[in-house]
Amino acid sequence: MSGIYIHIPFCKQACHYCDFHFSTSMGKKDAMVNAICKELELRKSEFEDETVATIYFGGGTPSVLQTNEIELILNSVRTNYTIIDNPEITLEANPDDLSEEKIVQLAASSINRLSIGIQSFFEEDLKLMNRAHNAAEAEKSLQLARQHFDNISIDLIYGMPNMSLARWKENIDKALGYGIPHISSYALTVEPKTALAKFVDKGLVSPASDEEAQEHFNLLNETLLDAGFDCYEISNFGKPGYYSKNNSAYWQQKKYIGIGPSAHSFDGVRRGWNINNNPKYIKSIEKDILPMEVEVLSATDKYNEYIMTGLRTIWGVSLNRIATEFGPKFKEYALLQADKFIEEHLLYLDDETLKTTKKGMFLADGIAADLFMVNLR
Ligand code: SF4
């Protein structure tokens, strides 16, 4: 089973912390929708032998599209690919786009999962992040979404400047109050060249310390586990039956095609990425040229990627799979490097599978870096 990711590169305004690819000018929206439909057609041979199980509209802000534009794109998927009977079709949406009319239209379309970018229920946080929505819109969008969708995820950000543990707890409790079955939650990171990075440089805001961010994560983890969620990936919490099938497939190294500017693709051997420039993307597709660069992953690259994604998830890293796929040297190396983390109770061995403990989960990236292989081919 494989997935299709579709990047919608438009946003109403730039959030201060964001380094994704998007444009705030909607002038080329029609041309972009046409180019996306055409890229789907141009690349259909890549999935000749595959069946699509998940379709994911990410961005940017896919909810800036009209429902008929979403359907145009989905029609192109249906025309050019084989799809399972009941695919997971997710739309990332921002609260300010989710009027009652829009939600009703989306519920009547083939979209069956909404991922709503709430980020915070507090005005102060939303202003600091320069989100396009306010706190009232955040709540209203959830009330409406709950009436029309069962499979809903929301994004929440922790580790924000001046965010007390009590305010973070209120954010989590509000999300739980709406009965949302899936929460994606990320620590605010200061990415280079963002407005937030400039504010930090000028001393206008100071980001939360690593210890504060870890405290926020621990509170999130404990509260959500108590509420019946699984932390199935460091940033993703789902009730049983509500894990994101799309993201789970990425973490399990399944194939996916990424459509649209800046979208990444993976075919099991090669990773590709589309140009991250809207006009150049459109021009290239209009000329039937895929604006994509490709790199062939070495065994070391694939091993490192498996370590990185595996340790961040509840599925862990299978030593037998490492031995079979990469060879016994890789397995020996992983075990040797894991030893100190096992002693520190950050990792444990479960039936030949290395997994992070509850305490180790937040530190998964650092632990993975120690298990990475350098230059052994
Ligand atoms: S809405 Fe999402 S993609 Fe757009 S600027 Fe904000 S965080 Fe970035």
Side-chain angles (χ1 to χ4, degrees), residues 119-174:
Q119 316 307 352
S120 173
F121 291 100
F122 289 89
E123 216 58 64
E124 198 183 327
D125 298 333
L126 295 170
K127 286 216 168 91
L128 180 89
M129 291 187 276
N130 200 37
R131 296 289 304 180
H133 67 276
N134 59 32
E137 285 170 322
E139 302 230 17
K140 182 81 184 155
S141 69
L142 286 190
Q143 284 159 12
L144 290 169
R146 285 297 283 145
Q147 288 168 29
H148 299 279
F149 280 86
D150 164 55
N151 200 349
I152 301 171
S153 176
I154 65 166
D155 287 353
L156 289 177
I157 294 186
Y158 60 88
M160 266 190 274
N162 306 322
M163 181 188 251
S164 66
L165 205 55
R167 194 159 87 215
W168 176 230
K169 173 97 173 88
E170 270 190 69
N171 262 328
I172 304 168
D173 287 345
K174 269 194 195 276

Short mmCIF file of all heavy atoms in Angstrom, two decimals, residues 119-174:
data_model
loop_
_atom_site.label_atom_id
_atom_site.label_comp_id
_atom_site.label_asym_id
_atom_site.label_seq_id
_atom_site.Cartn_x
_atom_site.Cartn_y
_atom_site.Cartn_z
N GLN A 119 -2.97 24.90 17.12
CA GLN A 119 -1.70 25.35 17.72
C GLN A 119 -1.86 25.80 19.17
O GLN A 119 -1.09 25.42 20.03
CB GLN A 119 -0.98 26.44 16.90
CG GLN A 119 -0.95 26.22 15.39
CD GLN A 119 -0.40 24.87 14.95
OE1 GLN A 119 0.11 24.12 15.76
NE2 GLN A 119 -0.53 24.53 13.67
N SER A 120 -2.82 26.68 19.46
CA SER A 120 -3.09 27.08 20.86
C SER A 120 -4.51 27.61 20.92
O SER A 120 -5.04 28.11 19.93
CB SER A 120 -2.11 28.17 21.29
OG SER A 120 -2.48 28.66 22.58
N PHE A 121 -5.09 27.52 22.13
CA PHE A 121 -6.42 28.10 22.33
C PHE A 121 -6.31 29.49 22.94
O PHE A 121 -7.32 30.07 23.33
CB PHE A 121 -7.25 27.19 23.25
CG PHE A 121 -7.65 25.88 22.60
CD1 PHE A 121 -6.95 24.71 22.88
CD2 PHE A 121 -8.70 25.83 21.70
CE1 PHE A 121 -7.31 23.51 22.30
CE2 PHE A 121 -9.08 24.63 21.11
CZ PHE A 121 -8.38 23.47 21.41
N PHE A 122 -5.08 30.01 23.06
CA PHE A 122 -4.89 31.29 23.74
C PHE A 122 -4.47 32.39 22.76
O PHE A 122 -3.54 32.22 21.98
CB PHE A 122 -3.84 31.15 24.85
CG PHE A 122 -4.34 30.34 26.01
CD1 PHE A 122 -4.19 28.96 26.03
CD2 PHE A 122 -5.01 30.96 27.04
CE1 PHE A 122 -4.69 28.21 27.08
CE2 PHE A 122 -5.52 30.21 28.10
CZ PHE A 122 -5.35 28.83 28.12
N GLU A 123 -5.17 33.52 22.89
CA GLU A 123 -4.93 34.67 22.02
C GLU A 123 -3.46 35.10 22.00
O GLU A 123 -2.89 35.36 20.94
CB GLU A 123 -5.79 35.82 22.56
CG GLU A 123 -6.39 36.72 21.52
CD GLU A 123 -7.28 36.00 20.52
OE1 GLU A 123 -8.31 35.46 20.91
OE2 GLU A 123 -6.91 35.98 19.33
N GLU A 124 -2.88 35.14 23.20
CA GLU A 124 -1.50 35.63 23.33
C GLU A 124 -0.54 34.76 22.49
O GLU A 124 0.32 35.28 21.77
CB GLU A 124 -1.15 35.50 24.81
CG GLU A 124 0.01 36.30 25.28
CD GLU A 124 0.27 36.00 26.76
OE1 GLU A 124 -0.70 35.73 27.53
OE2 GLU A 124 1.45 36.02 27.13
N ASP A 125 -0.72 33.44 22.56
CA ASP A 125 0.15 32.53 21.81
C ASP A 125 -0.09 32.70 20.31
O ASP A 125 0.86 32.72 19.52
CB ASP A 125 -0.16 31.06 22.16
CG ASP A 125 0.11 30.75 23.62
OD1 ASP A 125 0.96 31.42 24.22
OD2 ASP A 125 -0.54 29.82 24.14
N LEU A 126 -1.36 32.80 19.92
CA LEU A 126 -1.68 32.89 18.49
C LEU A 126 -1.11 34.17 17.89
O LEU A 126 -0.61 34.18 16.77
CB LEU A 126 -3.21 32.83 18.29
CG LEU A 126 -3.85 31.50 18.72
CD1 LEU A 126 -5.37 31.60 18.74
CD2 LEU A 126 -3.41 30.36 17.78
N LYS A 127 -1.16 35.27 18.68
CA LYS A 127 -0.59 36.54 18.20
C LYS A 127 0.92 36.41 18.08
O LYS A 127 1.52 36.85 17.10
CB LYS A 127 -0.95 37.66 19.18
CG LYS A 127 -2.39 38.08 19.09
CD LYS A 127 -2.54 39.59 19.31
CE LYS A 127 -3.93 40.06 18.95
NZ LYS A 127 -4.84 40.03 20.10
N LEU A 128 1.54 35.82 19.07
CA LEU A 128 3.00 35.66 19.06
C LEU A 128 3.44 34.87 17.83
O LEU A 128 4.48 35.13 17.22
CB LEU A 128 3.45 34.94 20.34
CG LEU A 128 4.95 34.72 20.46
CD1 LEU A 128 5.61 35.91 21.14
CD2 LEU A 128 5.25 33.46 21.26
N MET A 129 2.62 33.88 17.44
CA MET A 129 2.97 33.02 16.29
C MET A 129 2.53 33.64 14.96
O MET A 129 2.84 33.13 13.92
CB MET A 129 2.30 31.65 16.44
CG MET A 129 2.88 30.83 17.58
SD MET A 129 2.22 29.15 17.58
CE MET A 129 0.69 29.37 18.47
N ASN A 130 1.74 34.75 15.06
CA ASN A 130 1.15 35.37 13.85
C ASN A 130 0.24 34.40 13.09
O ASN A 130 0.25 34.35 11.86
CB ASN A 130 2.24 35.91 12.91
CG ASN A 130 1.68 36.95 11.95
OD1 ASN A 130 0.83 37.74 12.33
ND2 ASN A 130 2.13 36.91 10.70
N ARG A 131 -0.55 33.64 13.83
CA ARG A 131 -1.52 32.76 13.17
C ARG A 131 -2.64 33.61 12.58
O ARG A 131 -2.93 34.70 13.09
CB ARG A 131 -2.11 31.77 14.19
CG ARG A 131 -1.10 30.81 14.77
CD ARG A 131 -0.64 29.78 13.79
NE ARG A 131 -1.73 29.00 13.21
CZ ARG A 131 -1.55 28.03 12.32
NH1 ARG A 131 -0.32 27.71 11.90
NH2 ARG A 131 -2.58 27.36 11.84
N ALA A 132 -3.27 33.09 11.53
CA ALA A 132 -4.35 33.85 10.87
C ALA A 132 -5.66 33.76 11.66
O ALA A 132 -6.59 34.50 11.38
CB ALA A 132 -4.55 33.33 9.45
N HIS A 133 -5.74 32.84 12.62
CA HIS A 133 -6.99 32.69 13.37
C HIS A 133 -6.85 33.19 14.81
O HIS A 133 -5.74 33.37 15.30
CB HIS A 133 -7.45 31.22 13.37
CG HIS A 133 -6.56 30.29 14.15
ND1 HIS A 133 -5.43 29.74 13.62
CD2 HIS A 133 -6.65 29.81 15.42
CE1 HIS A 133 -4.85 28.94 14.52
NE2 HIS A 133 -5.58 28.98 15.61
N ASN A 134 -8.00 33.42 15.44
CA ASN A 134 -7.96 33.81 16.86
C ASN A 134 -8.52 32.67 17.71
O ASN A 134 -8.93 31.62 17.19
CB ASN A 134 -8.73 35.12 17.09
CG ASN A 134 -10.19 35.00 16.66
OD1 ASN A 134 -10.79 33.93 16.77
ND2 ASN A 134 -10.75 36.09 16.16
N ALA A 135 -8.51 32.89 19.03
CA ALA A 135 -8.88 31.81 19.95
C ALA A 135 -10.34 31.39 19.76
O ALA A 135 -10.67 30.19 19.80
CB ALA A 135 -8.65 32.26 21.39
N ALA A 136 -11.22 32.37 19.50
CA ALA A 136 -12.64 32.04 19.32
C ALA A 136 -12.82 31.16 18.08
O ALA A 136 -13.59 30.19 18.08
CB ALA A 136 -13.47 33.32 19.20
N GLU A 137 -12.08 31.50 17.02
CA GLU A 137 -12.18 30.69 15.78
C GLU A 137 -11.66 29.27 16.00
O GLU A 137 -12.18 28.31 15.42
CB GLU A 137 -11.41 31.37 14.64
CG GLU A 137 -12.13 32.58 14.08
CD GLU A 137 -11.27 33.40 13.13
OE1 GLU A 137 -10.05 33.56 13.39
OE2 GLU A 137 -11.82 33.91 12.14
N ALA A 138 -10.62 29.16 16.83
CA ALA A 138 -10.07 27.83 17.12
C ALA A 138 -11.17 26.95 17.72
O ALA A 138 -11.41 25.82 17.30
CB ALA A 138 -8.88 27.93 18.07
N GLU A 139 -11.88 27.51 18.71
CA GLU A 139 -12.92 26.72 19.41
C GLU A 139 -14.11 26.45 18.49
O GLU A 139 -14.63 25.34 18.43
CB GLU A 139 -13.37 27.46 20.67
CG GLU A 139 -12.21 27.72 21.62
CD GLU A 139 -12.46 27.30 23.05
OE1 GLU A 139 -13.40 26.51 23.29
OE2 GLU A 139 -11.70 27.76 23.91
N LYS A 140 -14.51 27.49 17.77
CA LYS A 140 -15.68 27.36 16.89
C LYS A 140 -15.43 26.27 15.83
O LYS A 140 -16.31 25.44 15.55
CB LYS A 140 -15.93 28.72 16.21
CG LYS A 140 -17.13 28.76 15.32
CD LYS A 140 -18.40 28.96 16.11
CE LYS A 140 -19.61 28.91 15.21
NZ LYS A 140 -20.83 28.53 15.87
N SER A 141 -14.20 26.26 15.28
CA SER A 141 -13.92 25.29 14.21
C SER A 141 -14.02 23.86 14.76
O SER A 141 -14.48 22.95 14.05
CB SER A 141 -12.53 25.53 13.60
OG SER A 141 -11.51 25.20 14.52
N LEU A 142 -13.63 23.68 16.00
CA LEU A 142 -13.71 22.33 16.57
C LEU A 142 -15.15 21.92 16.86
O LEU A 142 -15.54 20.77 16.63
CB LEU A 142 -12.89 22.23 17.86
CG LEU A 142 -11.37 22.20 17.67
CD1 LEU A 142 -10.67 21.86 18.97
CD2 LEU A 142 -10.99 21.17 16.61
N GLN A 143 -15.93 22.89 17.36
CA GLN A 143 -17.36 22.58 17.59
C GLN A 143 -18.01 22.12 16.30
O GLN A 143 -18.71 21.11 16.25
CB GLN A 143 -18.10 23.82 18.10
CG GLN A 143 -17.84 24.15 19.56
CD GLN A 143 -18.15 25.62 19.87
OE1 GLN A 143 -18.77 26.32 19.06
NE2 GLN A 143 -17.71 26.07 21.03
N LEU A 144 -17.75 22.87 15.21
CA LEU A 144 -18.36 22.53 13.93
C LEU A 144 -17.81 21.22 13.37
O LEU A 144 -18.56 20.37 12.90
CB LEU A 144 -18.10 23.66 12.91
CG LEU A 144 -18.85 24.96 13.16
CD1 LEU A 144 -18.31 26.06 12.27
CD2 LEU A 144 -20.35 24.76 12.91
N ALA A 145 -16.47 21.08 13.45
CA ALA A 145 -15.86 19.87 12.89
C ALA A 145 -16.40 18.62 13.58
O ALA A 145 -16.67 17.61 12.92
CB ALA A 145 -14.34 19.95 13.02
N ARG A 146 -16.59 18.70 14.88
CA ARG A 146 -17.09 17.53 15.63
C ARG A 146 -18.49 17.12 15.16
O ARG A 146 -18.86 15.96 15.24
CB ARG A 146 -17.11 17.81 17.15
CG ARG A 146 -15.77 17.79 17.81
CD ARG A 146 -15.08 16.45 17.73
NE ARG A 146 -15.61 15.48 18.68
CZ ARG A 146 -15.72 14.18 18.44
NH1 ARG A 146 -15.37 13.69 17.28
NH2 ARG A 146 -16.17 13.37 19.37
N GLN A 147 -19.26 18.10 14.69
CA GLN A 147 -20.62 17.76 14.24
C GLN A 147 -20.63 17.01 12.91
O GLN A 147 -21.58 16.33 12.58
CB GLN A 147 -21.45 19.04 14.08
CG GLN A 147 -21.83 19.69 15.40
CD GLN A 147 -22.37 21.10 15.17
OE1 GLN A 147 -22.95 21.40 14.13
NE2 GLN A 147 -22.17 21.97 16.15
N HIS A 148 -19.54 17.18 12.13
CA HIS A 148 -19.57 16.64 10.76
C HIS A 148 -18.49 15.61 10.47
O HIS A 148 -18.54 14.93 9.46
CB HIS A 148 -19.48 17.79 9.75
CG HIS A 148 -20.63 18.74 9.84
ND1 HIS A 148 -21.85 18.49 9.26
CD2 HIS A 148 -20.77 19.92 10.50
CE1 HIS A 148 -22.68 19.48 9.53
NE2 HIS A 148 -22.05 20.36 10.28
N PHE A 149 -17.45 15.54 11.32
CA PHE A 149 -16.37 14.58 11.10
C PHE A 149 -16.12 13.77 12.35
O PHE A 149 -16.21 14.28 13.47
CB PHE A 149 -15.06 15.31 10.73
CG PHE A 149 -14.99 15.74 9.30
CD1 PHE A 149 -15.54 16.96 8.90
CD2 PHE A 149 -14.39 14.94 8.34
CE1 PHE A 149 -15.49 17.36 7.58
CE2 PHE A 149 -14.33 15.34 7.02
CZ PHE A 149 -14.88 16.55 6.64
N ASP A 150 -15.78 12.49 12.14
CA ASP A 150 -15.41 11.63 13.26
C ASP A 150 -13.89 11.63 13.42
O ASP A 150 -13.36 11.70 14.52
CB ASP A 150 -15.93 10.21 12.95
CG ASP A 150 -15.30 9.17 13.84
OD1 ASP A 150 -15.39 9.34 15.07
OD2 ASP A 150 -14.73 8.19 13.30
N ASN A 151 -13.18 11.56 12.29
CA ASN A 151 -11.73 11.39 12.32
C ASN A 151 -11.06 12.78 12.23
O ASN A 151 -10.88 13.33 11.15
CB ASN A 151 -11.31 10.50 11.13
CG ASN A 151 -9.95 9.89 11.35
OD1 ASN A 151 -9.22 10.28 12.26
ND2 ASN A 151 -9.59 8.94 10.50
N ILE A 152 -10.74 13.33 13.40
CA ILE A 152 -10.18 14.69 13.46
C ILE A 152 -8.87 14.66 14.22
O ILE A 152 -8.76 14.01 15.27
CB ILE A 152 -11.15 15.66 14.20
CG1 ILE A 152 -12.50 15.70 13.48
CG2 ILE A 152 -10.56 17.06 14.31
CD1 ILE A 152 -13.55 16.46 14.27
N SER A 153 -7.90 15.37 13.69
CA SER A 153 -6.65 15.57 14.41
C SER A 153 -6.47 17.06 14.61
O SER A 153 -6.94 17.85 13.79
CB SER A 153 -5.49 15.02 13.57
OG SER A 153 -4.26 15.29 14.21
N ILE A 154 -5.83 17.44 15.70
CA ILE A 154 -5.46 18.87 15.81
C ILE A 154 -3.96 18.97 16.10
O ILE A 154 -3.35 18.05 16.64
CB ILE A 154 -6.25 19.62 16.91
CG1 ILE A 154 -5.93 19.08 18.31
CG2 ILE A 154 -7.73 19.59 16.65
CD1 ILE A 154 -6.41 20.01 19.41
N ASP A 155 -3.39 20.09 15.69
CA ASP A 155 -1.99 20.39 16.02
C ASP A 155 -1.96 21.33 17.22
O ASP A 155 -2.74 22.29 17.28
CB ASP A 155 -1.32 21.15 14.86
CG ASP A 155 -1.04 20.27 13.66
OD1 ASP A 155 -1.24 19.05 13.75
OD2 ASP A 155 -0.62 20.83 12.63
N LEU A 156 -1.06 21.04 18.13
CA LEU A 156 -0.82 21.95 19.26
C LEU A 156 0.68 22.16 19.39
O LEU A 156 1.45 21.20 19.22
CB LEU A 156 -1.34 21.34 20.57
CG LEU A 156 -2.85 21.24 20.78
CD1 LEU A 156 -3.15 20.54 22.11
CD2 LEU A 156 -3.50 22.63 20.77
N ILE A 157 1.09 23.38 19.71
CA ILE A 157 2.52 23.66 19.87
C ILE A 157 2.84 23.92 21.34
O ILE A 157 2.12 24.66 22.02
CB ILE A 157 2.94 24.88 19.03
CG1 ILE A 157 2.78 24.54 17.55
CG2 ILE A 157 4.37 25.30 19.32
CD1 ILE A 157 3.28 25.61 16.60
N TYR A 158 3.90 23.28 21.83
CA TYR A 158 4.34 23.55 23.20
C TYR A 158 5.73 24.18 23.19
O TYR A 158 6.32 24.37 22.13
CB TYR A 158 4.29 22.29 24.06
CG TYR A 158 5.14 21.12 23.59
CD1 TYR A 158 6.48 20.99 23.97
CD2 TYR A 158 4.61 20.14 22.76
CE1 TYR A 158 7.25 19.91 23.56
CE2 TYR A 158 5.38 19.07 22.33
CZ TYR A 158 6.69 18.96 22.73
OH TYR A 158 7.46 17.89 22.30
N GLY A 159 6.21 24.49 24.38
CA GLY A 159 7.55 25.09 24.47
C GLY A 159 7.58 26.49 23.89
O GLY A 159 8.60 26.94 23.37
N MET A 160 6.45 27.21 23.98
CA MET A 160 6.44 28.57 23.45
C MET A 160 6.97 29.53 24.50
O MET A 160 6.87 29.27 25.70
CB MET A 160 5.01 28.96 23.09
CG MET A 160 4.72 28.69 21.64
SD MET A 160 3.21 29.38 21.13
CE MET A 160 2.10 28.10 21.58
N PRO A 161 7.52 30.69 24.06
CA PRO A 161 8.00 31.66 25.03
C PRO A 161 6.86 32.03 25.99
O PRO A 161 5.72 32.23 25.54
CB PRO A 161 8.39 32.87 24.17
CG PRO A 161 8.63 32.31 22.81
CD PRO A 161 7.72 31.13 22.68
N ASN A 162 7.17 32.10 27.25
CA ASN A 162 6.20 32.51 28.29
C ASN A 162 5.03 31.56 28.48
O ASN A 162 4.01 31.95 29.04
CB ASN A 162 5.62 33.91 28.02
CG ASN A 162 6.69 34.94 27.83
OD1 ASN A 162 7.71 34.86 28.52
ND2 ASN A 162 6.51 35.85 26.91
N MET A 163 5.11 30.36 27.97
CA MET A 163 3.99 29.44 28.15
C MET A 163 4.19 28.67 29.46
O MET A 163 5.12 27.86 29.57
CB MET A 163 3.89 28.47 26.98
CG MET A 163 2.73 27.51 27.10
SD MET A 163 2.81 26.26 25.81
CE MET A 163 1.43 26.75 24.79
N SER A 164 3.35 28.97 30.43
CA SER A 164 3.49 28.27 31.71
C SER A 164 2.97 26.84 31.55
O SER A 164 2.19 26.55 30.64
CB SER A 164 2.70 28.99 32.79
OG SER A 164 1.32 28.88 32.48
N LEU A 165 3.37 26.01 32.51
CA LEU A 165 2.90 24.62 32.48
C LEU A 165 1.37 24.60 32.65
O LEU A 165 0.67 23.79 32.04
CB LEU A 165 3.59 23.85 33.61
CG LEU A 165 3.73 22.35 33.44
CD1 LEU A 165 4.42 21.98 32.15
CD2 LEU A 165 4.49 21.75 34.63
N ALA A 166 0.87 25.55 33.47
CA ALA A 166 -0.58 25.59 33.72
C ALA A 166 -1.33 25.93 32.43
O ALA A 166 -2.38 25.36 32.13
CB ALA A 166 -0.89 26.63 34.80
N ARG A 167 -0.77 26.89 31.64
CA ARG A 167 -1.46 27.26 30.40
C ARG A 167 -1.39 26.11 29.39
O ARG A 167 -2.35 25.85 28.66
CB ARG A 167 -0.86 28.53 29.81
CG ARG A 167 -1.77 29.09 28.75
CD ARG A 167 -1.52 30.55 28.50
NE ARG A 167 -0.47 30.71 27.50
CZ ARG A 167 0.42 31.69 27.52
NH1 ARG A 167 0.41 32.57 28.48
NH2 ARG A 167 1.32 31.78 26.57
N TRP A 168 -0.27 25.42 29.36
CA TRP A 168 -0.14 24.27 28.46
C TRP A 168 -1.17 23.21 28.85
O TRP A 168 -1.84 22.61 28.01
CB TRP A 168 1.29 23.74 28.51
CG TRP A 168 1.54 22.50 27.71
CD1 TRP A 168 2.16 21.37 28.15
CD2 TRP A 168 1.19 22.24 26.34
NE1 TRP A 168 2.21 20.43 27.15
CE2 TRP A 168 1.62 20.94 26.02
CE3 TRP A 168 0.54 22.99 25.35
CZ2 TRP A 168 1.44 20.37 24.76
CZ3 TRP A 168 0.34 22.42 24.09
CH2 TRP A 168 0.80 21.13 23.81
N LYS A 169 -1.34 23.01 30.16
CA LYS A 169 -2.31 22.01 30.63
C LYS A 169 -3.72 22.40 30.17
O LYS A 169 -4.51 21.55 29.76
CB LYS A 169 -2.22 21.92 32.16
CG LYS A 169 -3.27 21.05 32.83
CD LYS A 169 -2.73 19.65 33.10
CE LYS A 169 -3.68 18.80 33.92
NZ LYS A 169 -4.65 18.07 33.13
N GLU A 170 -4.00 23.72 30.24
CA GLU A 170 -5.34 24.17 29.80
C GLU A 170 -5.57 23.87 28.31
O GLU A 170 -6.66 23.51 27.90
CB GLU A 170 -5.49 25.67 30.03
CG GLU A 170 -6.04 26.00 31.41
CD GLU A 170 -6.41 27.46 31.51
OE1 GLU A 170 -7.38 27.88 30.86
OE2 GLU A 170 -5.69 28.18 32.24
N ASN A 171 -4.49 24.06 27.51
CA ASN A 171 -4.60 23.74 26.08
C ASN A 171 -4.95 22.28 25.87
O ASN A 171 -5.84 21.94 25.09
CB ASN A 171 -3.25 24.03 25.38
CG ASN A 171 -3.24 25.38 24.68
OD1 ASN A 171 -4.27 25.85 24.21
ND2 ASN A 171 -2.09 26.00 24.64
N ILE A 172 -4.23 21.41 26.59
CA ILE A 172 -4.48 19.97 26.42
C ILE A 172 -5.90 19.63 26.87
O ILE A 172 -6.63 18.89 26.20
CB ILE A 172 -3.46 19.13 27.25
CG1 ILE A 172 -2.02 19.50 26.87
CG2 ILE A 172 -3.69 17.64 27.07
CD1 ILE A 172 -0.96 18.95 27.82
N ASP A 173 -6.29 20.20 28.02
CA ASP A 173 -7.63 19.88 28.55
C ASP A 173 -8.73 20.35 27.61
O ASP A 173 -9.76 19.69 27.45
CB ASP A 173 -7.80 20.51 29.94
CG ASP A 173 -6.98 19.76 30.99
OD1 ASP A 173 -6.53 18.63 30.69
OD2 ASP A 173 -6.76 20.31 32.09
N LYS A 174 -8.50 21.51 27.00
CA LYS A 174 -9.52 22.00 26.05
C LYS A 174 -9.66 21.02 24.88
O LYS A 174 -10.75 20.69 24.46
CB LYS A 174 -9.12 23.37 25.52
CG LYS A 174 -9.68 24.51 26.35
CD LYS A 174 -9.54 25.82 25.60
CE LYS A 174 -9.75 27.00 26.53
NZ LYS A 174 -11.14 27.34 26.73
#
